[in-house]
Amino acid sequence: MDEWLAFLDPIPSIVADEMEAFNDTKWRIEAYFPEEPDKAAVELIQSRLPSASKAKPLITKLPDEDWVVMSQQGLKPVHAGRFYVHTSANKDEVPKGSVPINIEASRAFGTGGHETTSGCLSMLDKLKCMGKRFNLIADIGTGTGLLTFAASHLWPRAYLTASDIDPVSIDVTRDNALLNGYALGSGPGQIALCVAAGTDHPIIQQRAPYDLIIANILAGPLIELAPSLARIIRGGGALILAGLLNTQAESVIGAYRKLGFRLEVRRDTGDWPCLLLVKRKRFGWQRPIRADGRTSQPPGDFGTW
């Protein structure tokens, strides 16, 4: 939590939303207080947003409702491959033969409702149906941990690593792992968690080379992370990429093709493709090195949709 929030009593819940997809210049910031905020509280929040210094805050009283329950009721379950992603509001509706994963509405990306996440779930399921086996798996930008949990179910003896640039996401992933019965730790069948910008963390580097890497983030960071991801995946290893628009796919594919990857499968769900790439073995294994940490995303935006 930012230290400046400690000056507010009670501390509000703050939500930031892009007003236009992939337009970093237009944002809407909403702060939820249990009672009407005074002028000082409004000015403090606005002081942390230099670009909004001349904006006129809009203060509105909301109906007395249980907004958490209402938001969860608004989240529809997602059935992708063998996985059924749901909240506690629809936990009794699990289709026969499916694998349920309970992901509540929270502060991190990745409830399964976005096409990028459901696309990754379907791609993981496809790999399992193809008979693929993975022993070392990394989920870069894990969000709520959903894709890590899916991989853990499919390959229960694998060593799994889940990272995110946002510490909140790692807290949420930890809670979701406990909720769904997935073990945390460093052993086989367990999930090791870490806060990291891209691949820049000792846990991620020391566990390389990986058999499978999942990165459901955005096109810009996927391109910037290409050299770092290429260093920590073995020859013949699989790479699932998502979070990009179909108009951005060729640029992303091109960045990885230059580093020895070939496109194995592309599945488009609406405007959102999910890519499965494989690293050509002839490029061999390069000893992993620390990533430079550069990313085109602002802090907190790494993570599953």
Side-chain angles (χ1 to χ4, degrees):
M1 180 184 298
D2 288 340
E3 293 181 359
W4 65 272
L5 283 175
F7 292 99
L8 297 174
D9 186 19
I11 296 174
S13 298
I14 298 179
V15 179
D17 289 318
E18 284 181 310
M19 297 179 69
E20 298 177 8
F22 302 103
N23 185 348
D24 292 337
T25 64
K26 293 185 178 182
W27 288 82
R28 178 176 61 248
I29 307 297
E30 297 178 337
Y32 295 90
F33 291 83
E35 56 190 31
E36 184 175 355
D38 58 25
K39 183 178 179 181
V42 175
E43 290 179 347
L44 178 60
I45 293 176
Q46 198 160 7
S47 71
R48 306 298 299 181
L49 307 167
S51 61
S53 59
K54 297 182 180 180
K56 184 179 180 180
L58 177 63
I59 300 177
T60 304
K61 184 178 180 179
L62 299 175
D64 188 13
E65 303 279 2
D66 190 332
W67 292 98
V68 173
V69 171
M70 291 178 65
S71 67
Q72 291 176 356
Q73 289 175 342
L75 288 175
K76 296 181 179 180
V78 175
H79 203 172
R82 70 191 68 192
F83 299 103
Y84 183 79
V85 186
H86 63 92
T87 67
S88 57
N90 40 51
K91 62 182 180 181
D92 298 325
E93 304 170 9
V94 179
K96 185 178 180 179
S98 63
V99 178
I101 303 179
N102 189 348
I103 303 292
E104 302 291 350
S106 67
R107 301 166 291 166
F109 293 113
T111 56
H114 197 277
E115 290 89 341
T116 58
T117 310
S118 58
C120 288
L121 289 172
S122 296
M123 191 69 77
L124 288 168
D125 189 67
K126 177 179 177 63
L127 287 171
K128 181 66 174 182
C129 292
M130 293 168 60
K132 300 294 184 180
R133 297 179 62 183
F134 302 107
N135 296 315
L136 284 164
I137 301 172
D139 181 8
I140 306 298
T142 193
T144 61
L146 172 58
L147 299 180
T148 301
F149 305 151
S152 178
H153 174 84
L154 296 172
W155 298 283
R157 297 298 297 169
Y159 293 82
L160 298 114
T161 305
S163 70
D164 203 286
I165 197 172
D166 184 4
V168 170
S169 289
I170 296 304
D171 290 339
V172 170
T173 297
R174 183 179 293 107
D175 292 341
N176 285 336
L178 296 175
L179 177 64
N180 288 278
Y182 291 99
L184 300 177
S186 57
Q190 298 179 329
I191 302 169
L193 302 178
C194 62
V195 178
T199 64
D200 193 13
H201 194 283
I203 290 178
I204 297 174
Q205 297 291 330
Q206 291 166 8
R207 289 188 154 203
Y210 295 92
D211 307 303
L212 171 65
I213 296 177
I214 311 159
N216 179 16
I217 42 181
L218 294 173
L222 287 177
I223 292 173
E224 288 203 28
L225 285 172
S228 298
L229 295 180
R231 292 186 186 104
I232 63 170
I233 192 169
R234 67 170 178 82
L239 178 63
I240 296 176
L241 302 180
L244 57 145
L245 289 164
N246 51 23
T247 55
Q248 302 167 322
E250 290 306 317
S251 296
V252 173
I253 294 170
Y256 285 85
R257 185 175 287 129
K258 293 176 182 177
L259 295 167
F261 289 85
R262 59 180 173 82
L263 179 64
E264 183 88 358
V265 178
R266 171 177 173 173
R267 285 187 170 182
D268 288 23
T269 305
D271 295 330
W272 304 92
C274 182
L275 310 175
L276 172 63
L277 299 102
V278 176
K279 186 176 182 182
R280 298 181 187 275
K281 291 185 178 181
R282 64 184 176 84
F283 275 74
W285 164 244
Q286 298 179 12
R287 186 175 181 80
I289 61 175
R290 292 178 64 85
D292 56 20
R294 291 182 301 169
T295 172
S296 62
Q297 285 185 302
D301 273 1
F302 261 148
T304 302
W305 288 71

